[in-house]
Structure formats: structure tokens, C-alpha cells
Amino acid sequence: MKINKRYISAFAALLLSTAAFAQVPAPAAKQSKPVLLKGATLHVGNGTVVENAAVGFDNGKITYAGPQSGANLSGYEVVDVTGQHIYPGLIQPNASLGLNEIESVRATIDWREVGDLNPNVRSVVAYNTDSDIIPTVRANGVLMTQVAPIGGTIAGSSSVVQLDAWNWEDAVVKADEGIHMNWPAMLVPTGNRQQDERLNRMKEQREQTLRELSQLLSDAAVFKAGKNDAENLKLSAMAGLFDGSKKLYIHTNYGKEIIESVNFVKQFGIKNIVIVGAGDALAVADFLKANNIPVIYSGVHALPSRAEEDVYNPYKMPYLLHKAGIQFALDYDLSIHGIRNLPFIAGTAAAFGLDKEQALASVSLNTAKILGIDKQAGSVEVGKDATIVVSSGDLLDMRTNNVTQAFIQGRKIDLNTKQKYLYEKFENKYKAQQKQVPTGATTSAGK
């Protein structure tokens, strides 16, 4: 079949026009002029909804958020987003985003350190701003994350980053804000002799781990209280736990483990505690409230942990936690590729009892409060960072979620992804082929 050179040239031009998006988009330049978005429905993030609203921002900070009729348009570049929705940028807590790229390639995995007690490990210094996964997350409205390590009893420290930066130093919103502890699992006898012998050995190992943990916390408390000229990276990294400047994130699900772990660390004067995972949070709700402990719930899109539970129980859990008066936020567990679905777990929670605006808060303002960044992020309010999302549909609904614009600290970010690039590439390929083929003919690709 004779191929028209004109079509080849057109096809090549189309490929060249999209080739620039094959890589991670370059970070946006600093905001250079005031911008005002007008005409959209504003979802503030604190439960308030404003119809026909306007949001203005300058130098990366929000200067106006309210009814369009009250906005001063003088000096602003006005962007009409009538019929769309404005939301705060969503925040994913407890994530390995930027620490793990390809699980089958060891060189791209940097989310844990060798050893069991590593409070001095700083996950943020391994954060890769050029991760191909980051653009896919931003495209669904997730603009910030808590980069957290995994592994061992004390995994290390986490930091909060925004997702548009050249390097980890530029990305940091709040550095080393907490230490992550994986609580050793309780062991229950099975009645099987061979299995119970193995469990007894594991129990001995658990008791040894708890003794070592107790010694480390005791040493860290003494180190914090005294005047020490000698440098000790492990102990100095934990100092903030004793004055409340750092949070202790305890990863556990079982109700008895939640109570045991909290009582254990409180012996050493640690009070700023967050439970991560929190599968049994509802069963120990009174204990959590009495100790003023928030939770990061990880299991919305999961099956129940017990056979006798309602299969929809994980979907209902955010509503039940809210009803019980427990401060909570939602995360999408450690699946880095799944973080882009963070808005949809909030949507699931809204479909199973939680108010839609409360569901939004569970992935924005609630998370910001738990992470200690609510003075600058989590809601669309004057004085906070202009980290906002514009969607033509409901951000929490996977059928209508369509992020048309996003801003991080006032910078309009590039929403292109490798997936979008590949879609356009092959769409253009087959369109070009269809133009080449006479009516009734079949291409080799179509055989």
C-alpha cells in the first residue's frame, strides 16, 4: 500500500508536540501576579460551601475566599471558572511516595533502613521529586503528602512535602515532624502444639523488642533532660517527643495493642500521639477520646478484618468515627500507585453516611490538623497557602473528577502525566493511520 508522505509528516509533528510530556513536568515558576478565580462553587474544607464564589491569591497566599460579589478585581488576573468547583489541595498522610518507584528494581526502593531502632533516619532526604508517580497523584487533586519510612520497630522520621519542587529541600513544608513506631503484634495461642511453640519463640522476641524499646525511650528522655556535649543522633532525634514538638505515630490496628502502646509510651512523658491504621479505633473510642489521640484510618477500601463483621464496615468506619467524636483523617495505605485514589476513599465514606463536606475535610483540613500544618494548608481561607484544586466535576467522585487547574503555593502546576502522554501518542497514531487507509481497506495493525 502506498503511504502518503504528507501524513507521515503530520504524524511526526504530533509525536514531537507531545514528546515533551514524556518526562516529569518541570516545577512551575513562582507566582508573578495576583490571580482571582471566579464563578465556581467553593468547598472551603471546613464544612462551608459558597456558591458563585471567588478565590484570590498573591505571592502564594490566599487574599480572598468568599462570594464573588465581595471580591475586589482590581489588579488581579481574572480566570473564569464558572460551573466548576474549587477545593483545597488534598493531603495524603503516611506515604512512601518518592521513596519507592519500581518494586522489582531494588535501586529505586529507599523507604526503610537496616536495623530495628532507627529514630535518626530522615525519610525526606531520600525523597525523589522526579518520581513518575507524583504527576499521576497531582492530576487527581492530591498536592501534599507526608513522606514516611517503614520497617523496624522505630522506622524513622516523616516530613510533609508539597508535590511540585526541584529537590527535597524545596519540597519541604514541615521537616521531621514526627517519629514512626511499628508496635510489635500481640500473639494469641492457637491450641496447636507446633504452632504454639513457634508463637512462644515469637513472644520471647517481642518481649526482647519491648525491653530494647523501653531502654531507648528512657535514654532519650534522660538525654533530653540533661546537658550533653556528646552527640548522639538517635537520642537527639527523639528529643521533640518529650516537649511535644514532634508527634509519635504508632502503627497498629488491634484494640488491645492500641491501649498497650499508648500506655507504654506515656510512661516516658510522650503525649503527642497519633494512631495509624487504627482498624479497631471504634472499639477503643472512649480510651482514644480520654487521651485526646487522633487516628489516621487506613482501611476504607478493604475487607473487614474479622469474618463476623459487616462487609461494608470499612466503608462506614469514617462515619462511625465521626459519630463517636474521634478526630480522624484518611489515607490510602502504603500503595504509592493508589494514592491518586485518595479523593475516592473520601467519596466512598460520603456514600456510606459521612457528610460530603466532612468527607472532604477527612482528606484535607483534618489531615492538616493532625500533621500540624493547618495554619498554612488544608482549607481555602485567607492567609493560607494558595494550594488549591479546580475540578469541572465532583472531586470525590471518580466518575466526574476532572481536575482542570491546580495551584501549589500560588504556582499553576502542569497536570500532564506519562499516562496522558501515552494516551495522546497512540490516539494520534491511530487517527493518522485511519486517514491513510482507503475506505474498506485494513491496516496490518487492525488484523
Side-chain angles (χ1 to χ4, degrees), residues 20-21 23-31 127-131 134-135 138 162-172 406-416:
F21 301 123
Q23 303 300 318
V24 176
K30 185 178 180 180
Q31 184 181 6
Y127 174 65
N128 175 23
T129 55
D130 290 322
S131 169
I134 290 174
R138 303 190 314 192
Q162 49 84 7
L163 302 182
D164 186 59
W166 286 106
N167 50 58
W168 70 263
E169 293 95 333
D170 293 342
V172 167
F407 301 84
I408 293 180
Q409 296 171 340
R411 307 186 308 274
K412 186 175 182 179
I413 65 172
D414 191 332
L415 293 174
N416 279 291

Side-chain angles (χ1 to χ4, degrees), residues 184-256:
M186 286 183 166
L187 304 168
V188 181
T190 65
N192 181 291
R193 181 178 177 180
Q194 289 184 334
Q195 290 184 6
D196 284 350
E197 287 179 355
R198 178 172 173 270
L199 286 176
N200 286 334
R201 291 193 296 271
M202 294 173 65
K203 184 177 179 181
E204 291 174 2
Q205 179 60 50
R206 180 178 192 269
E207 291 173 351
Q208 176 63 24
T209 298
L210 291 178
R211 285 193 294 270
E212 292 174 355
L213 182 58
S214 177
Q215 185 64 55
L216 178 65
L217 291 173
S218 178
D219 290 347
V222 172
F223 186 88
K224 167 65 177 175
K227 294 182 179 180
N228 300 281
D229 296 327
E231 180 68 26
N232 188 309
L233 295 179
K234 287 193 175 184
L235 300 184
S236 59
M238 302 179 72
L241 296 178
F242 305 100
D243 60 18
S245 61
K246 281 189 178 182
K247 288 183 169 65
L248 179 63
Y249 295 91
I250 303 177
H251 295 246
T252 185
N253 281 288
Y254 186 39
K256 289 184 178 180

Side-chain angles (χ1 to χ4, degrees), residues 312 315-320 322-323 346-359:
Y312 295 118
Y315 300 165
K316 300 174 184 176
M317 189 58 68
Y319 165 70
L320 297 174
H322 174 75
K323 188 177 178 181
T348 297
F352 283 82
L354 196 63
D355 176 80
K356 179 63 73 70
E357 300 307 314
Q358 293 168 350

Side-chain angles (χ1 to χ4, degrees), residues 39-105:
T41 298
L42 170 61
H43 303 262
V44 176
N46 60 6
T48 304
V49 179
V50 182
E51 301 289 344
N52 194 25
V55 175
F57 47 96
D58 187 20
N59 291 321
K61 297 291 184 179
I62 297 172
T63 56
Y64 180 81
Q68 182 178 322
S69 57
N72 179 7
L73 307 183
S74 178
Y76 282 82
E77 177 188 353
V78 179
V79 180
D80 191 347
V81 288
T82 300
Q84 300 191 58
H85 299 261
I86 298 175
Y87 299 89
L90 306 188
I91 309 168
Q92 162 72 20
N94 183 40
S96 58
L97 183 65
L99 304 181
N100 180 15
E101 192 74 3
I102 305 171
E103 293 188 5
S104 61
V105 181

